[in-house]
Amino acid sequence: MSNASYFDLVIRGGRVVLPDETCEIDVGIHGGTIAALGKDLPKGDTEISAKGRLVLPGGVDSHCHMDQQPWEGKATADDFNTGTLSAMCGGTTTVIPFAMQMRGQSLRHIVLDYHERARPKAHIDYGIHLIVGDPSADVLRNEIPALVAEGCTSIKIYLTYDGLKLDDYEVLNVLDVARSEGAMVMVHAENDACIRWLTEKFIEARKTQLRYHEKAHSAIGDREATHRAISLSELIETSILVSHVAAGGAVEEIRRAKARGLPIYAETCPQYLFLSAEDIDTHDLSGSKCVCTPPPRDKSNQPAIWDGILDGTLEVFSSDHSPWNYADKIAGGPDTPFNRIPNGIPGIETRLALLFSAGVNGGRMSLQKFVELTSAAPARLFGLYPRKGVIAIGSDADLTIWDPERIVTIDNAMLHHATDHTPYEGQTVRGWPVMTISRGELVWDDGKILSRPGRGQFIARERPFAPRQDLSRILAS
């Protein structure tokens, strides 16, 4: 415990969730960081009573899309203003969205543009993932190493989507650079050929209803692509994180890789626990509000995702917030075929409450496990820990105060994103974040927005792994 005697803010009497215990202590904050933890701390300039409430590290959402360049001529609903505001009001204090490079574009120029989009708008702190859709020689040799050195220490690659998908040779090149630079590679693991072939067959057979979205994005394709991504990373001897794991078969592939000692990580998202294929299969196009990729699977698949979370196969619980307004989802009219529905759903503000209610209050997990999934693990894997993701002396004072018994029925009107719907409309949760503190500043106070656009800061992240350039063992005959 610190001997600090002067605090800008003291949070008193809450049950503070530390890595190894939960205890009723005070949190003293000075200069935007946590300066002391203990009982009966000296008075601060400002005091907050957290009696009867929980004090948790602010959430770290390491997979969300906002203010991204237009996709097929359309832009998602949230910019950095509304996207980070919504995150903040849901108890998240750090986000890592994506600067998306497509074929023919300079990755450097995309990142510079993304900085300009974020700087005047962000309410909370943010990092930047690099989406590499065109791994040209210049991108591999010059742009990625320079951007990693500037704190963009993670790369996302796609095995599907026109304009973004990489072939296996290109994937190996990106993994090689990531190994050399100590960067994390996130993989969107779906089999593109399976999707294209099945989609063509369904469209030819005039099977265009929404239910065929899930069928075209076969769970078998998820499993194969996950196995392939793991195999390529094993060849290069570097880590990957499999993004938004949706299918039980993919969980099994990741579990087997971990059992063999491979450094494979994985995340899942609320839609794979709280939505299902049945939510997409509607008589009208309202099910398009739940269309994303990979899609939610049958309800019978949900236990496999829970098992993956609880046994540590899936380390991270992110939102994959990718919001489209309903009008954009059904822009093709009442007969819009499934393959013309934009993929993506909102969820950045409801991510934490959904898991807290079903996980902690549902008796499935401890408070420490909840924090690990939603804050500490993403911070650690993406080069933010211990600055973010933990309540500890010297860490940023990014905190959320929870009313663990508050019952809330989710209604889009209460949320702060710019999207005209939530796929979780009408779902009731127990436990809700009532205050958010970002770098020692109270920014959300039980319905009152106290933040302002532009107060969030870009966080240059550390390399999550030590750079390794020696390929002698890989190349040995």
Side-chain angles (χ1 to χ4, degrees):
M1 302 300 175
S2 168
N3 293 320
S5 59
Y6 171 76
F7 305 111
D8 305 316
L9 172 65
V10 176
I11 302 169
R12 294 202 183 274
R15 292 173 55 216
V16 179
V17 181
L18 304 174
D20 299 319
E21 62 177 332
T22 299
C23 48
E24 193 170 301
I25 56 175
D26 303 334
V27 181
I29 296 165
H30 179 72
T33 61
I34 297 171
L37 298 168
K39 291 184 177 292
D40 302 319
L41 292 182
K43 184 175 176 59
D45 289 347
T46 302
E47 304 250 332
I48 293 175
S49 173
K51 188 118 178 117
R53 292 177 169 177
L54 294 169
V55 182
L56 278 68
V60 176
D61 195 339
S62 57
H63 189 153
C64 50
H65 301 264
M66 59 188 71
D67 231 329
Q68 203 164 270
Q69 67 164 304
W71 176 269
E72 295 183 342
K74 299 176 182 177
T76 51
D78 280 318
D79 63 6
F80 266 95
N81 180 3
T82 57
T84 59
L85 175 65
S86 187
M88 179 187 85
C89 297
T92 291
T93 51
T94 307
V95 295
I96 316 178
F98 298 87
M100 182 175 70
Q101 178 219 26
M102 300 185 74
R103 294 283 173 182
Q105 296 178 332
S106 161
L107 182 59
R108 162 67 69 184
H109 289 166
I110 293 295
V111 172
L112 289 174
D113 174 70
Y114 212 51
H115 276 296
E116 291 303 313
R117 292 168 183 256
R119 190 177 297 113
K121 300 177 187 176
H123 287 262
I124 55 175
D125 292 350
Y126 59 94
I128 295 177
H129 294 301
L130 309 174
I131 289 180
V132 175
D134 190 357
S136 66
D138 185 55
V139 167
L140 294 169
R141 295 173 188 167
N142 300 311
E143 292 192 336
I144 291 176
L147 290 165
V148 170
E150 293 167 16
C152 299
T153 59
S154 48
I155 301 162
K156 186 178 182 185
I157 58 176
Y158 287 78
L159 304 186
T160 188
Y161 285 143
D162 289 341
L164 287 173
K165 65 186 175 188
L166 307 186
D167 63 29
D168 290 354
Y169 180 84
E170 292 172 315
V171 170
L172 289 168
N173 280 334
V174 173
L175 291 174
D176 186 22
V177 173
R179 183 184 194 273
S180 298
E181 298 300 324
M184 173 66 86
V185 175
M186 307 167 71
V187 183
H188 181 124
E190 290 186 282
N191 184 300
D192 182 71
C194 288
I195 295 168
R196 286 190 292 115
W197 189 86
L198 286 166
T199 298
E200 288 174 4
K201 293 299 181 184
F202 287 135
I203 297 299
E204 286 173 6
R206 298 184 179 180
K207 294 182 176 181
T208 63
Q209 297 92 332
L210 290 178
R211 71 175 69 98
Y212 294 103
H213 168 74
E214 190 268 341
K215 297 180 184 301
H217 290 260
S218 166
I220 295 172
D222 286 14
R223 186 185 68 203
E224 184 282 329
T226 298
H227 175 78
R228 179 159 39 102
I230 291 168
S231 299
L232 296 176
S233 72
E234 183 179 11
L235 179 66
I236 298 293
E237 297 182 351
T238 193
S239 297
I240 59 169
L241 183 142
V242 183
S243 295
H244 40 50
V245 175
V251 176
E252 284 299 319
E253 292 294 338
I254 296 160
R255 188 177 285 120
R256 279 195 287 270
K258 287 175 178 287
R260 291 195 292 118
L262 298 179
I264 304 300
Y265 305 96
E267 70 172 14
T268 194
C269 311
Q271 50 267 38
Y272 308 122
L273 297 179
F274 305 107
L275 300 175
S276 70
E278 289 88 337
D279 293 304
I280 298 174
D281 185 12
T282 55
H283 68 280
D284 57 12
L285 289 181
S286 61
S288 67
K289 296 175 182 178
C290 301
V291 166
C292 57
T293 53
R297 303 298 178 185
D298 187 83
K299 285 182 180 178
S300 63
N301 182 74
Q302 291 175 353
I305 305 301
W306 275 115
D307 288 346
I309 288 173
L310 297 176
D311 70 10
T313 302
L314 307 174
E315 289 93 347
V316 175
F317 190 77
S318 64
S319 70
D320 193 10
H321 179 77
S322 184
W324 297 89
N325 282 315
Y326 185 48
D328 291 322
K329 285 267 190 178
I330 60 169
D335 296 319
T336 303
F338 72 87
N339 64 320
R340 302 308 302 166
I341 304 288
N343 293 305
I345 62 173
I348 203 166
E349 193 167 344
T350 49
R351 170 184 74 118
L352 295 175
L354 285 164
L355 186 65
F356 187 95
S357 181
V360 177
N361 278 334
R364 290 181 170 96
M365 67 180 64
S366 67
L367 286 164
Q368 279 70 29
K369 179 70 171 180
F370 174 81
V371 168
E372 178 69 15
L373 285 162
T374 60
S375 188
R380 192 179 297 112
L381 290 172
F382 291 107
L384 290 166
Y385 196 90
R387 180 173 179 180
K388 308 288 188 183
V390 64
I391 297 177
I393 293 172
S395 297
D396 282 358
D398 287 359
L399 307 162
T400 51
I401 299 176
W402 283 71
D403 181 343
E405 299 301 325
R406 181 172 295 189
I407 295 175
V408 174
T409 299
I410 296 171
D411 174 7
N412 193 62
M414 66 182 282
L415 303 177
H416 298 82
H417 56 212
T419 320
D420 59 7
H421 66 275
T422 170
Y424 308 106
E425 187 79 34
Q427 293 198 29
T428 298
V429 296
R430 181 162 67 95
W432 196 260
V434 293
M435 290 185 183
T436 302
I437 296 159
S438 170
R439 279 181 285 103
E441 181 181 349
L442 181 63
V443 290
W444 168 248
D445 184 5
D446 206 2
K448 297 177 183 176
I449 297 168
L450 305 177
S451 182
R452 61 196 180 280
R455 68 160 300 280
Q457 297 178 356
F458 169 70
I459 305 298
R461 292 175 289 123
E462 301 294 326
R463 289 172 167 87
F465 309 112
R468 295 187 300 149
Q469 297 180 334
D470 182 10
L471 298 175
S472 56
R473 198 169 82 83
I474 298 173
L475 301 177
S477 59

